Amino acid sequence: MNNIITANNISLSYNQNETIINKASFTIENGSFTFITGASGSGKSTLLKSLYGALKLDSGTLLIGGTELNKISSKKLNFLRQNIGIVFQDYKLIKEWDVEKNVMLPLIIGGFDKDLSKQQVHKVLNHVKLNHQSNKYPLELSGGEQQRVAMARALAHNPIMILADEPTGNLDDYSAELIWHLLEGANQQLKTTIVVVTHHIPNTLKVRYNHLHIEYGEIYEVN
Amino acid sequence: MKSIKNHFSLIVALFAILFSIEVLIINNRAINAYEVKLASNYSIIVVSNTLITNKQFKSYSPYIATSKELSAEKIISKLQKNISKQNIQLLKLAMPKFYQLKLNHYPTPYQIKTITNALFSNPNITKVQDFSNTYNTTFKLLLLLKTITQIFTLTIFIITILLISKEMRIWQLKHKERMNIMGLFGAPVWLRSAVLFRLAIVDALIASAITAMLFYIISQTRFIKAQLSSIGININIFLPVQDGITLVIISTCLSIILASIIIIGYKEEI
């Protein structure tokens, strides 16, 4: 299998004095399911941010799908992001848009046909069991429902990779189970690369996965 | 309801600016019409020992539009009972020429002084009556009215700009989140900004329409028409097409500038 992510000696920090990731190297295979774990403040979310180009590297090289992120133009970065689905811990739903429009966001950005987009939105909303809530606004939903909307948005455009930051962090058991099931399904059926930042790897997972652990700024592969 | 509230704040701010600008436009239009009326009634009387042609008068000042020789027959006819015909003929030959000069616009006191001095450069001109005392009072009154309107407009404009800049900060916070989320999903800048520009333009059009409608209704009221008519102004102080276009252009430009500042100031959040 090809590597979709190749990191060589990457260092990350929010300010130059405080290094969070220090000269780490790792690879993530295309179509794989990967967990990134670590203690709170270890740099899991920081690493994930660098994977979608929201945080620049201090040093090293990071290749996503063969494109070096530090040298990428904003046009190419937009194109890259259009092919990635991101699930955030704080959901990042647009409050003034209803559920249907929120889920449609990647399809609007991708310039898809409106009718086809609507069909696709209702298909994924059906997967996350929220078809009946499509006209509601994010603030009218529970945390679990909002995260399921965010999950539907990440799946809507059939991305090549899904990056999820603590997707089940604050969720009830039902919503958490549903999220893991959807991520597994996307990985198994659509061969989507899944990268999940989490504190705990669920026991119920049936899929084969890789495990990267961050400690003291270094990244280890756990067998 | 929330959406109406979002629109309302910018519409009110834009309306305040447009209202003050339209007051300035209408006031200037009314004053200009009044000045034209005053200019048509105003004239300078010149007394000369020799004949002076219209062309010669115009050469003294570009402000002089026409000259008309005033007949002395009325004065002479009053003397006819007491003076012989021969003496009247001599009197006619000896009498100076009287001219009434009309100007092509409403002049400033300085321009009147310049015209008077230019006329006196001709040694045959013995007297120039410019009625400057009466004229200056009217001119100063109009100037005061103009200045007051300009100060009023400027004050409202400054207050509204402050209001809009506050509104802008609220917009910045409100739209930043949406623009940020769109950016994380790869939306190009034009798409992230499209919603903002659409909102700004819609608000600008609504504010222009409200202002234009309000001034149209006001200008059509009997009271306003009677007031203007009483001072001899018989023009439409509000021109729907011309003023409407002006209002749309001003409000659209303002809201586009506002939206552009938000977009320029936008930085992707980490």
Side-chain angles (χ1 to χ4, degrees):
Chain A
M1 259 195 266
N2 301 327
N3 290 332
I4 192 164
I5 298 173
T6 307
N8 282 319
N9 291 319
I10 62 165
S11 293
L12 292 164
S13 66
Y14 285 109
N15 55 59
Q16 294 292 332
N17 302 328
E18 198 183 341
T19 302
I20 295 165
I21 302 289
N22 189 21
K23 293 182 179 173
S25 298
F26 63 92
T27 57
I28 291 176
E29 286 178 353
N30 195 7
S32 66
F33 199 119
T34 305
F35 283 104
I36 301 171
T37 60
S40 293
S42 59
K44 305 186 293 291
S45 297
T46 307
L47 177 65
L48 202 76
K49 280 174 187 171
S50 73
L51 298 183
Y52 55 83
L55 192 66
K56 291 229 167 202
L57 303 179
D58 290 341
S59 61
T61 55
L62 180 59
L63 297 164
I64 309 284
T67 309
E68 195 176 332
L69 270 192
N70 248 21
K71 290 177 183 170
I72 201 166
S73 65
S74 60
K75 199 177 171 182
K76 277 189 175 175
L77 182 63
N78 283 337
F79 181 74
L80 180 77
R81 286 175 177 180
Q82 284 169 25
N83 290 291
I84 297 175
I86 314 172
V87 183
F88 302 92
Q89 195 177 4
D90 58 352
Y91 327 127
K92 291 210 189 296
L93 298 174
I94 298 172
K95 290 181 194 81
E96 55 269 32
W97 288 6
D98 64 13
V99 166
E100 186 183 86
K101 202 172 176 188
N102 264 293
V103 176
M104 207 185 278
L105 177 65
L107 301 166
I108 295 170
I109 293 167
F112 289 89
D113 175 79
K114 206 175 176 182
D115 289 335
L116 287 174
S117 298
K118 275 201 168 187
Q119 282 177 26
Q120 175 67 2
V121 166
H122 286 280
K123 199 173 126 188
V124 286
L125 278 176
N126 206 28
H127 285 155
V128 297
K129 317 271 186 245
L130 281 174
N131 229 341
H132 60 293
Q133 309 270 44
S134 63
N135 293 324
K136 285 201 171 172
Y137 287 86
L139 295 179
E140 294 172 335
L141 303 174
S142 69
E145 286 171 328
Q146 287 189 55
Q147 190 60 299
R148 276 148 64 194
V149 174
M151 190 68 216
R153 181 179 59 185
L155 291 167
H157 55 307
N158 293 330
I160 52 165
M161 177 164 67
I162 292 177
L163 304 174
D165 188 5
E166 305 265 14
T168 58
N170 306 311
L171 301 190
D172 56 279
D173 291 345
Y174 172 75
S175 294
E177 191 62 38
L178 195 63
I179 297 285
W180 291 125
H181 178 72
L182 288 164
L183 289 171
E184 267 187 307
N187 179 250
Q188 292 294 290
Q189 288 153 32
L190 304 170
K191 303 292 170 210
T192 308
T193 308
I194 311 284
V195 181
V196 182
V197 161
T198 186
H199 278 293
H200 304 289
I201 299 171
N203 303 322
T204 52
L205 218 62
K206 295 177 190 100
V207 71
R208 196 184 74 84
Y209 61 84
N210 303 316
H211 181 190
L212 297 173
H213 185 74
I214 306 177
E215 205 171 304
Y216 302 115
E218 291 189 16
I219 300 176
Y220 307 96
E221 193 160 348
V222 182
N223 294 315
Chain B
M1 192 66 197
K2 199 181 170 188
S3 166
I4 294 168
K5 204 177 158 190
N6 287 344
H7 282 277
F8 190 72
S9 45
L10 183 67
I11 290 171
V12 167
L14 284 171
F15 172 76
I17 285 189
L18 296 180
F19 184 87
S20 58
I21 289 170
E22 190 55 37
V23 165
L24 185 71
I25 292 171
I26 281 181
N27 192 62
N28 280 344
R29 193 173 286 145
I31 288 174
N32 287 343
Y34 192 62
E35 281 180 350
V36 169
K37 187 177 167 282
L38 286 178
S40 70
N41 290 338
Y42 177 75
S43 55
I44 294 172
I45 303 297
V46 174
V47 183
S48 168
N49 292 328
T50 56
L51 271 170
I52 303 174
T53 62
N54 197 33
K55 202 178 169 185
Q56 280 174 307
F57 271 120
K58 281 186 176 178
S59 71
Y60 292 121
S61 169
Y63 304 128
I64 296 169
T66 56
S67 67
K68 186 182 151 193
E69 189 181 347
L70 299 172
S71 168
E73 290 297 327
K74 273 187 184 176
I75 307 161
I76 292 169
S77 65
K78 282 179 187 173
L79 303 170
Q80 269 176 344
K81 288 173 189 172
N82 308 320
I83 304 171
S84 68
K85 274 189 178 178
Q86 199 180 6
N87 282 345
I88 284 184
Q89 282 305 316
L90 284 169
L91 185 67
K92 273 185 182 176
L93 287 170
M95 263 187 86
K97 310 288 175 198
F98 294 88
Y99 293 95
Q100 184 186 36
L101 304 183
K102 290 274 182 191
L103 305 182
N104 52 19
H105 78 292
Y106 191 68
T108 63
Y110 175 76
Q111 284 169 342
I112 291 177
K113 207 176 172 186
T114 315
I115 295 166
T116 309
N117 290 340
L119 289 167
F120 274 128
S121 66
N122 182 340
N124 290 316
I125 291 176
T126 55
K127 187 150 182 74
V128 175
Q129 180 54 268
D130 56 15
F131 309 101
S132 56
N133 286 343
T134 322
Y135 181 85
N136 286 354
T137 312
T138 317
F139 183 85
K140 279 173 187 168
L141 204 68
L142 284 180
L143 195 68
L144 179 73
L145 193 64
K146 269 186 181 177
T147 313
I148 288 171
T149 315
Q150 279 162 0
I151 291 169
F152 161 76
T153 308
L154 189 73
T155 312
I156 291 191
F157 198 83
I158 291 166
I159 292 168
T160 320
I161 288 292
L162 292 173
L163 203 75
I164 283 193
S165 62
K166 195 185 168 196
E167 181 63 20
M168 200 179 74
R169 276 195 283 274
I170 299 167
W171 267 40
Q172 246 168 350
L173 290 170
K174 203 162 65 185
H175 294 283
K176 197 178 173 183
E177 192 188 7
R178 181 180 43 72
M179 286 168 77
N180 203 35
I181 295 169
M182 289 179 85
L184 290 171
F185 284 86
V189 176
W190 68 264
L191 189 62
R192 281 179 240 175
S193 323
V195 180
L196 195 62
F197 277 114
R198 198 167 57 221
L199 214 73
I201 290 167
V202 167
D203 287 3
L205 293 176
I206 293 171
S208 312
I210 293 170
T211 317
M213 263 197 298
L214 181 76
F215 276 94
Y216 179 74
I217 292 165
I218 290 170
S219 69
Q220 294 303 311
T221 55
R222 275 189 196 171
F223 175 74
I224 296 292
K225 280 187 172 177
Q227 289 292 311
L228 292 169
S229 182
S230 69
I231 52 166
I233 299 173
N234 295 310
I235 56 154
N236 285 328
I237 51 159
F238 179 75
L239 305 173
V241 178
Q242 191 185 318
D243 290 8
I245 291 170
T246 310
L247 293 174
V248 167
I249 291 171
I250 293 170
S251 60
T252 310
C253 287
L254 271 173
S255 37
I256 286 176
I257 291 168
L258 168 69
S260 305
I261 291 169
I262 294 169
I263 289 155
I264 291 163
Y266 163 77
K267 273 183 188 168
E268 190 175 286
E269 260 178 21
I270 299 169

